Amino acid sequence: MRPWVRSAAWSAAIAALLAVVVVGSAAIGPVRIPPETVLKSVLNALAVPAGIETSAGGVGPLPIPGVGPLTLPGVDLAFASPFAFPVDSVHQQIVVGVRLPRILLAALVGFALAAAGTVMQGFFRNPMADPSIIGVSSGAAVGAVAFIVFPVALSTTVALPLVGSVEVSLSRGAGTSLFAFVGALVAAFGVYAIATRNGRTPVATLLLAGVAVQTFLGAVVSYLQLQAGESLRQIVAWLMGHLSGAAWSEVAVTAAVVPPLFLLLLAYARDLNVLLLGEEEARGLGIAVERTKRVLLAASALVTAAGVAFAGVIGFVGLIVPHMLRLVVGPDHRVLLPSAALAGGTFLVAADTVARSAAAEYPVGVITAAVGAPFFVYLLVTREVTEL
Amino acid sequence: MSADRSADPDAKDTEAADAEATEVGAKEAGEAAVARDHDDRAPLPDTALSFGDAPLLSAADVAVSFGDLDVVSGVDLRVEPGSLVGLVGPNGAGKTTVLRAVTGAVEPDAGSVEIGGDPASSLSAKAVGRRVASVPQATNLAFDFRVRHVVEMGRTPHLGRFDAHGVEDDEAVDAAMAAADVERFADRSITAVSGGERQRVLLARALAQAAPLLLLDEPTASLDVNHAVETLELVREFVEDGDRGAIAAIHDLDAAARYCDEVVVLANGGVQAAGPPESVLSASTVGAAFDAEAFVGRDSATGTPAVTAFPHSDVESRRVHVIGSGRPAARVVARLAAAGHEPSVGVVPAGDAAAGATADAGATAVTAPPFEEPSPETLAAARGLAADADATLAVGTAEGDLANTDGHTNGDGHVTADGPVTADGPNAEVAAAADRVVPVAPDVSGPELLDAVATATADGE
């Protein structure tokens, strides 16, 4: 079968599984909601652009808190909901306002981490590689923890050229996310800069530079924790990975960043296959190796940063999910990358459902490791794995 | 298919069949006996690019160093369309490094590399990939891709980022897999095939790349005799198309002599010699390049130069006359020549193995027509050589050369005496002309032989 056909088939199958898990997850919680009610609520909340109104500053229907309506200069895009199923408004609010943003954020973060993990394992030709290998997670941790300990600049005025001075205010959560995102990118770029000489970035150097930077940033996080005092609990929660209190705005930002970058990575799937042969052979086969490496590194760093910025450091997904899928669909990245990404989303939604259904809510990172590791061991012992 | 190739498919097939006919014996071994119908052999993947008469590869004064270590310098290479260039030299001479400099994997410190008439540095990675296909010594693909998929990777330089494999790509992959004989395990994982099979997969990948210049790094290193020959025949078929060429690092000098149009000897940081194998593969060049004592004879099956290396002996050069014939005498002459002695032989029948070896060594052989008494002039010439020699060796061999040794022969006719030898027949006269004749057993070992010469010449002084 053609690789892209296989890819589409596997993706469709896993996407269907993801949809089932999402609906199931939205049904589970302190208030049990039948799956069909979940579906109806989701359909009710759907909004499609229904026309353009020229009246300025109109308030359209508020289909998705935090996203709509889209206000364009002079024109408003009006939304209309095509469905109007009779659904209990409390159920509608629980599904659409509370559970769905959290579930979708989990799906996006899992998708992002598994995609980046797949790319990193291929890139480094190393089965132990994961999205944090180039310092992204530790950079995010330093950024987030620093902001939690020293919550500077919650509100400030920034002078922008052209626009003039703009009042910028950050909620505590948004500030943590922003600092985590920036910290992740700074760390990744630092690792890249350390490992690059004369325009060449040897993978082995990159790996070791990543280890060194992670170790150093780990020390910084430990130091900040010692200085944390009251906010230590908050830090620990962030470091363990969490999805509670997810808002539609966070979903929107992640959704804006992750899918386009994923498509970029997917466009490089064949190059990633050839890179597995080693850089020299890849060059012989017409791959512009250094440029390809830069693209792959930058895209996976951004994807990972977008993932960890809102959810904190969720381990395991980016390491194990690609392995699981490699065992199932094979090593061809054209098939593996979309399958692993969708499976990562599915896995994290399921794990987060478990995390929030327990008597006391657990950090989802604990669940991913506790559930995923035994399953991975099961795969290892039931399928003969000679090489990774 | 290019126009000129599709024009005479029959000629190609006949050629392939002819080449095959000589190898029927070799093909019977083991699982390799799986029949490949060579009359139906798929043509090699078409090479779309052609550079006309421009050299496929032209490297001038290339120098490469790793840090402070100068690997090679002043290397000139040229691969013309239709030719296979062999890169030979001792381990560490920089054969692989030179090949890597051609692909741009290492950047030369100095010199220029032109591929198809354009400077390699001006070409994009993709453009180089369309012009040059490499067969590395090994691949370290750890993930378990299927063999077919690995061969498909050869099409990478022909595909845009969003192109799917087309019919043309499939055809090239199929043809390459058929040519390299890897179809049998096309669906096996690359991690589950043997080293030799893996090497053929890499060859198939390079063929699928359909570039006019093929770069091979020890393409036969881990292949069995059958597949080694098949591989080199395939490379010959590839270059004989006319517009294509190949350069191969080959450690097997005999294979280089047999298959290459030109041989470049790389040693001591540079090119020691370059040219047709007949002229380049001389005992002195090979001896100097490999730091060994070498004898260059003729392969009895192919007639191409056959290089035999011996360990160092560090003997003083002597004139040594050899009485004896056949393979034992030939062996003695070869060893003497390799050690730096100046051998001569006679009288031997014309066409004798010993006469051949002496000719290969560039030394004098006195021959007489077979089954005839040598003429007085011939005998005189042989007597003269024996008289002038520092030592004369009598190789105990076929009857007629050395029959009686005054009761000093053992049961199987080998000479065991250490006194002067008298022999019946014409060579008795030759032996009589020498100051001293040293008997040598036909299965004498190299060191024994050289010791015997040293002893004989020391006694004579």
Side-chain angles (χ1 to χ4, degrees), chain A residues 2 270 280-281 284 332 388, chain B residues 100 139 142 160 163 170 205:
Chain A
R2 290 270 160 197
R270 191 162 53 210
E280 210 167 307
E281 283 184 57
D332 185 348
L388 288 164
Chain B
R100 291 175 72 201
T139 188
D163 291 347
D170 285 339
R205 191 185 73 198

Side-chain angles (χ1 to χ4, degrees), chain B residues 293 310-313 330-340 446-447 449-450:
Chain B
E293 293 182 354
F310 298 101
H312 273 283
S313 54
R331 219 160 53 80
V332 167
V333 168
R335 186 67 191 94
L336 292 175
L449 176 68
L450 296 176

Side-chain angles (χ1 to χ4, degrees), chain A residues 1-4 6 121-122 125-127 200 263 267-271 273-274 276-278 280-281 283-289 291-292 323 326 330-334 386-388, chain B residues 100 103-107 125-126 128-129 132-134 136 138-145 149-150 152-157 159-166 170 191 202 205 209:
Chain A
M1 216 190 317
R2 290 270 160 197
W4 290 117
R6 276 191 70 216
Q121 285 170 7
R125 270 170 283 141
N126 187 328
R200 291 197 172 188
L263 290 178
Y268 277 84
R270 191 162 53 210
D271 304 47
N273 286 343
V274 178
L276 288 179
L277 297 169
E280 210 167 307
E281 283 184 57
R283 183 177 290 108
L285 289 170
I287 304 289
V289 172
R291 192 174 57 103
T292 305
H323 279 308
R326 202 173 280 119
D332 185 348
H333 284 95
R334 288 171 289 184
T386 48
E387 300 207 46
L388 288 164
Chain B
R100 291 175 72 201
T103 55
V106 294
E107 269 177 48
K126 207 173 203 107
V128 173
V132 186
S134 299
T139 188
N140 52 355
L141 187 58
F143 293 84
D144 57 351
F145 282 98
H149 192 161
V150 176
E152 279 174 359
M153 289 184 188
R155 297 303 296 170
T156 308
L159 295 170
R161 181 159 307 287
F162 300 103
D163 291 347
H165 273 258
D170 285 339
T191 56
L202 297 181
R205 191 185 73 198
Q209 209 171 330

Side-chain angles (χ1 to χ4, degrees), chain B residues 39-397:
Chain B
D39 291 333
D40 290 344
R41 184 187 245 181
L44 291 169
D46 174 41
T47 312
L49 268 178
S50 167
F51 305 115
D53 291 334
L56 293 162
L57 171 68
S58 164
D61 200 23
V62 169
V64 182
S65 63
F66 296 137
D68 295 336
L69 179 69
D70 291 328
V71 183
V72 288
S73 59
V75 173
D76 294 325
L77 281 179
R78 220 176 149 80
V79 182
E80 300 286 350
S83 78
L84 167 58
V85 175
L87 210 50
V88 304
N91 299 137
K95 302 188 290 290
T96 302
T97 304
V98 167
L99 292 182
R100 291 175 72 201
V102 170
T103 55
V106 294
E107 269 177 48
D109 296 332
S112 66
V113 176
E114 289 188 0
I115 301 171
D118 296 313
S121 52
S122 74
L123 297 169
S124 69
K126 207 173 203 107
V128 173
R130 286 182 187 160
R131 294 179 182 210
V132 186
S134 299
V135 182
Q137 279 189 48
T139 188
N140 52 355
L141 187 58
F143 293 84
D144 57 351
F145 282 98
R146 281 176 307 127
V147 164
R148 188 183 168 86
H149 192 161
V150 176
V151 178
E152 279 174 359
M153 289 184 188
R155 297 303 296 170
T156 308
H158 300 277
L159 295 170
R161 181 159 307 287
F162 300 103
D163 291 347
H165 273 258
V167 178
E168 203 182 316
D169 301 301
D170 285 339
E171 281 171 1
V173 169
D174 289 340
M177 292 208 302
D181 194 18
V182 299
E183 287 163 311
R184 270 182 305 118
F185 44 89
D187 286 320
R188 248 196 274 163
S189 161
I190 187 71
T191 56
V193 301
S194 76
E197 288 170 335
R198 207 177 243 234
Q199 207 161 16
R200 277 149 53 205
V201 173
L202 297 181
L203 177 68
R205 191 185 73 198
L207 292 174
Q209 209 171 330
L213 177 62
L214 196 56
L215 245 63
L216 305 111
D217 194 356
E218 302 286 4
T220 59
S222 48
L223 297 186
D224 59 60
V225 283
N226 171 38
H227 282 108
V229 167
E230 290 271 337
T231 296
L232 291 167
E233 292 284 344
L234 191 60
V235 175
R236 276 244 61 97
E237 190 189 332
F238 177 88
V239 302
E240 275 162 15
D241 181 29
D243 286 345
R244 304 188 284 208
I247 180 165
I250 301 182
H251 71 278
D252 182 347
L253 297 175
D254 299 353
R258 184 173 164 193
Y259 287 101
C260 295
D261 301 297
E262 196 185 330
V263 169
V264 175
V265 181
L266 209 58
N268 307 320
V271 174
Q272 300 293 301
E278 310 286 329
S279 61
V280 168
L281 292 178
S282 67
S284 58
T285 311
V286 172
F290 289 86
D291 196 22
E293 293 182 354
F295 175 76
V296 181
R298 294 277 145 183
D299 188 291
S300 53
T302 63
T304 52
V307 178
T308 312
F310 298 101
H312 273 283
S313 54
D314 291 322
V315 295
E316 217 176 310
S317 178
R318 301 288 186 188
R319 271 279 295 108
V320 182
H321 187 71
V322 176
I323 298 173
S325 64
R327 286 173 192 258
R331 219 160 53 80
V332 167
V333 168
R335 186 67 191 94
L336 292 175
H341 292 306
E342 268 182 70
S344 59
V345 170
V347 179
V348 292
D352 187 80
T358 316
D360 290 336
T364 313
V366 178
T367 59
F371 313 114
E372 286 180 25
E373 282 294 309
S375 66
E377 295 78 28
T378 308
L379 263 181
R383 286 170 58 88
L385 287 171
D388 292 348
D390 297 321
T392 297
L393 303 181
V395 182
T397 171

